[in-house]
Amino acid sequence: MKESFLQKFIVKGAVILLLLSMMSGTVGCGSDLVDAYLGELGIKDSASEGDPDKEGRSSDSSSDVTLFEPLEDLLERAEKDERHDGASASSDASASASSFTAEDSYASQGENADAGSGADSAISASAEGASDSSAMLASKASSAIGEEPADSKFGQLYTEKSAAVGNADDKAAREAIGLTDDGISSKKREQAGRYAFERLTDSGKTLYVEILTILQNQSEGIVVSTTSIDAIEMVFDYVMLDHPEIFYCAAYKYTNYQVGNSTTKIAFSGIYSYGPEEIQRRQNQINDAVNKCLAGAPSSSDEYYAIKYVYEYIITNTDYSPGAEDNQNICSVFLGHSSVCNGYAKATQLLLNRLGIECTLVTGTVHKRDSSSERHAWNLVKCNGQYYYLDVTWGDASYQTVSGESADTSKLPSVNYDYLNVTTAEIAKNHKLPDYIYMPLCNSMTDNYYVREGNYFTSPELSLVKDLFDRGYSEGRNYVTIKCSGDSVYQALFDELITNRKVFGFLQGNPTTIPYTTFEETDTIIFWI
């Protein structure tokens, strides 16, 4: 006999509840748990299959979403959650059937990651010789995925803007926050040029604008122009990649309206960390902090100087602290002055965007010294027409101090420039690029920090090393950094300067020892003068 709608309703609800209870650690099972679950739903009416005028849902709850989600899909989602440690949808029977937590995705990123393990050493003028350096790490640039719009697969699951409105109340709610045809078109023009926005189809851009508008207005229960929860997940991610100023949104939830097994519409809601008054209070403080920073920014048309300024400003005014409050958003940097990689990268993005420089958030993984990996956030920036990668977190000495990357914290420059405007090949030595969005091949060295500052060595030319030391002394620096173009140049200079002790010919004051720090992954040597 064919199962009735209610039988399927109860069985699926019970099975999913049991799954949810196991995932969340809830005690209890069996009929009591099922009864409690059905009672909590408060279902007063349910649609019969094939009746388009009734939508099977509770009177005021989004918990009904999971009731019609195939169990195999939920299991696949749960497995995905486990793989990504909360980076995907998670079920919540009391609030919504599925919510995506942006902060949870990278809640502990950057901690104890290897930012290029520095070897602190010293050589003596009378020493027999220094130990040989270890083998250099080889790397290849990650191949980029194609430029086909990322959401092409959802094409048939998008709806026309007018079709997304199920009734007069839905239409009125959309219009109240500006989601009219004209409003959407205007907002699309405003978003043009943003990195993630431009990777979507036109229908995806419509959904992007809808989600952005909902978040900006701190709205809830707004019907959107797709019947795909996967499209919502992707486009929500893309909105958050482009908009670091949305510091108050921790996640989203949705209500899936269905007739039988067919979704008729989805209502989207943001989950907000603060109320409107607190959001405005924090926004005012952030504005003050941002304006203070931008007041000192260079006015040169050469974008390199603005990028360097922001890189140094964030590092100088922020301490790396895994326990920092609000460390997944910009409040931690601008208000608390301590953060982790997500806060660093979002604050950098916001400042550069305010200066008119294209910059987006990149979230991937980084390699640790124990060969494991963990999630991390950094930036993609366009400088003078060319793309580069930027990792402000790994440029901060306080990160290396807290994460234990250096045995001697006195032998670290306060700002490490190894991650200021680097190529794909360079960043890929210890960062794994994401596969959820297209990343361009960055192969220009024109505006790399070491190239621009004259510290980049393409050959082991000792006369150029002497010039570098002379410049360091004349500028009153306490260290000199040599950045090599590759392993062979690095090894040749290491042998000449350290193993053969020729560095002493470039020092002033006739010292008998010279401390140095090596970063083999990035082919960098720092001498402390």
Side-chain angles (χ1 to χ4, degrees):
M1 179 184 297
K2 183 178 180 181
E3 288 182 306
S4 69
F5 173 81
L6 184 58
Q7 285 175 318
K8 289 191 288 184
F9 178 95
I10 293 174
V11 171
K12 280 192 174 180
V15 172
I16 292 170
L17 178 61
L18 291 173
L19 176 61
L20 292 175
S21 67
M22 289 186 288
M23 292 171 65
S24 62
T26 302
V27 178
C29 61
S31 60
D32 292 341
L33 193 57
V34 173
D35 290 341
Y37 177 70
L38 295 176
E40 184 177 3
L41 292 178
I43 296 177
K44 298 180 179 179
D45 189 17
S46 61
S48 60
E49 292 184 41
D51 184 353
D53 296 325
K54 288 188 177 182
E55 297 156 340
R57 63 186 181 94
S58 61
S59 59
D60 185 19
S61 171
S62 56
S63 300
D64 53 359
V65 175
T66 40
L67 297 178
F68 307 108
E69 184 171 3
L71 181 59
E72 59 268 26
D73 290 350
L74 183 59
L75 288 169
E76 180 180 356
R77 189 180 307 282
E79 292 171 356
K80 182 179 180 183
D81 287 350
E82 184 175 357
R83 288 196 300 271
H84 295 287
D85 263 336
S88 295
S90 61
S91 297
D92 182 351
S94 64
S96 71
S98 188
S99 64
F100 180 89
T101 305
E103 289 187 353
D104 288 348
S105 302
Y106 311 102
S108 61
Q109 51 194 301
E111 299 170 24
N112 302 320
D114 182 5
S117 49
D120 300 322
S121 311
I123 56 174
S124 169
S126 59
E128 185 65 25
S131 60
D132 294 337
S133 61
S134 61
M136 312 299 176
L137 295 177
S139 71
K140 294 183 179 179
S142 300
S143 56
I145 62 175
E147 272 280 26
E148 180 184 3
D151 62 328
S152 297
K153 61 185 177 181
F154 304 125
Q156 295 182 345
L157 297 173
Y158 286 122
T159 60
E160 295 295 330
K161 294 187 287 294
S162 59
V165 180
N167 54 48
D169 290 341
D170 293 336
K171 182 178 180 180
R174 287 171 60 87
E175 290 179 348
I177 60 173
L179 289 179
T180 62
D181 287 353
D182 289 343
I184 290 172
S185 296
S186 176
K187 200 102 175 183
K188 281 184 177 180
R189 290 191 294 270
E190 292 175 4
Q191 298 306 305
R194 293 186 182 271
Y195 188 84
F197 177 80
E198 294 296 348
R199 266 70 200 169
L200 296 170
T201 62
D202 187 64
S203 295
K205 291 175 180 177
T206 296
L207 178 59
Y208 177 110
V209 163
E210 290 171 337
I211 291 176
L212 174 61
T213 302
I214 293 168
L215 299 180
Q216 289 176 333
N217 286 275
Q218 297 130 54
S219 299
E220 297 183 4
I222 305 297
V223 173
V224 293
S225 59
T226 186
T227 55
S228 168
I229 58 176
D230 292 327
I232 288 175
E233 180 178 327
M234 171 181 285
V235 175
F236 175 82
D237 284 351
Y238 278 31
V239 170
M240 299 305 287
L241 288 178
D242 281 342
H243 289 276
E245 76 279 4
I246 303 179
F247 62 86
Y248 47 83
C249 181
Y252 71 78
K253 59 185 178 181
Y254 62 86
T255 303
N256 192 355
Y257 296 83
Q258 295 188 323
V259 174
N261 290 324
S262 299
T263 298
T264 60
K265 64 181 180 180
I266 296 177
F268 180 93
S269 303
I271 297 177
Y272 307 107
S273 303
Y274 321 103
E277 292 184 0
E278 178 62 14
I279 290 173
Q280 189 57 57
R281 186 186 73 82
R282 287 173 177 251
Q283 187 62 68
N284 292 339
Q285 293 179 322
I286 290 170
N287 290 342
D288 290 342
V290 169
N291 291 337
K292 179 181 178 181
C293 170
L294 298 184
S299 57
S300 173
S301 60
D302 186 341
E303 293 177 331
Y304 166 79
Y305 293 109
I307 296 170
K308 178 186 174 186
Y309 170 80
V310 169
Y311 187 92
E312 294 173 337
Y313 186 93
I314 293 291
I315 290 172
T316 302
N317 290 278
T318 311
D319 290 324
Y320 183 86
S321 175
E325 185 177 358
D326 295 312
N327 63 22
Q328 297 301 298
N329 64 57
I330 59 175
C331 291
S332 56
V333 173
F334 294 124
L335 306 185
H337 303 291
S338 61
S339 192
V340 295
C341 60
N342 226 15
Y344 276 78
K346 289 181 178 181
T348 299
Q349 178 187 11
L350 186 142
L351 290 173
L352 290 176
N353 287 167
R354 293 286 176 86
L355 289 169
I357 296 173
E358 294 182 36
C359 180
T360 195
L361 183 71
V362 180
T363 54
T365 57
V366 288
H367 308 307
K368 298 169 62 177
R369 287 183 296 176
D370 61 3
S371 299
S372 64
S373 62
E374 66 182 6
R375 293 184 299 275
H376 186 60
W378 62 99
N379 297 106
L380 175 73
V381 64
K382 182 177 278 188
C383 180
N384 297 322
Q386 297 291 331
Y387 278 116
Y388 301 87
Y389 288 106
L390 192 71
D391 192 337
V392 183
T393 308
W394 279 25
D396 192 342
S398 68
Y399 163 76
Q400 295 186 358
T401 301
V402 170
S403 62
E405 295 299 330
S406 175
D408 185 354
T409 58
S410 67
K411 296 299 183 291
L412 288 174
S414 58
V415 179
N416 176 7
Y417 294 99
D418 279 353
Y419 299 95
L420 174 49
N421 287 2
V422 300
T423 63
T424 298
E426 188 74 8
I427 202 75
K429 290 180 178 180
N430 41 38
H431 293 55
K432 183 178 179 181
L433 300 178
D435 57 8
Y436 58 84
I437 189 170
Y438 170 79
M439 287 284 113
L441 178 63
C442 306
N443 54 17
S444 174
M445 286 291 293
T446 303
D447 286 311
N448 172 267
Y449 169 81
Y450 292 111
V451 172
R452 289 294 299 261
E453 303 296 329
N455 292 32
Y456 190 70
F457 286 76
T458 58
S459 65
E461 179 57 58
L462 294 185
S463 64
L464 298 178
V465 175
K466 181 181 185 304
D467 292 342
L468 183 61
F469 273 84
D470 289 345
R471 178 152 52 93
Y473 281 115
S474 66
E475 294 174 355
R477 302 190 178 207
N478 64 347
Y479 66 92
V480 167
T481 302
I482 297 174
K483 169 70 174 180
C484 304
S485 61
D487 295 351
S488 61
V489 177
Y490 172 91
Q491 190 61 59
L493 284 173
F494 185 95
D495 290 342
E496 287 290 281
L497 298 175
I498 297 173
T499 305
N500 299 330
R501 303 190 301 282
K502 291 185 178 179
V503 66
F504 289 99
F506 309 133
L507 305 180
Q508 296 180 6
N510 298 317
T512 57
T513 62
I514 174 71
Y516 67 94
T517 303
T518 59
F519 294 89
E520 295 180 355
E521 260 190 335
T522 57
D523 297 317
T524 307
I525 306 172
I526 300 175
F527 290 100
W528 299 88
I529 58 176

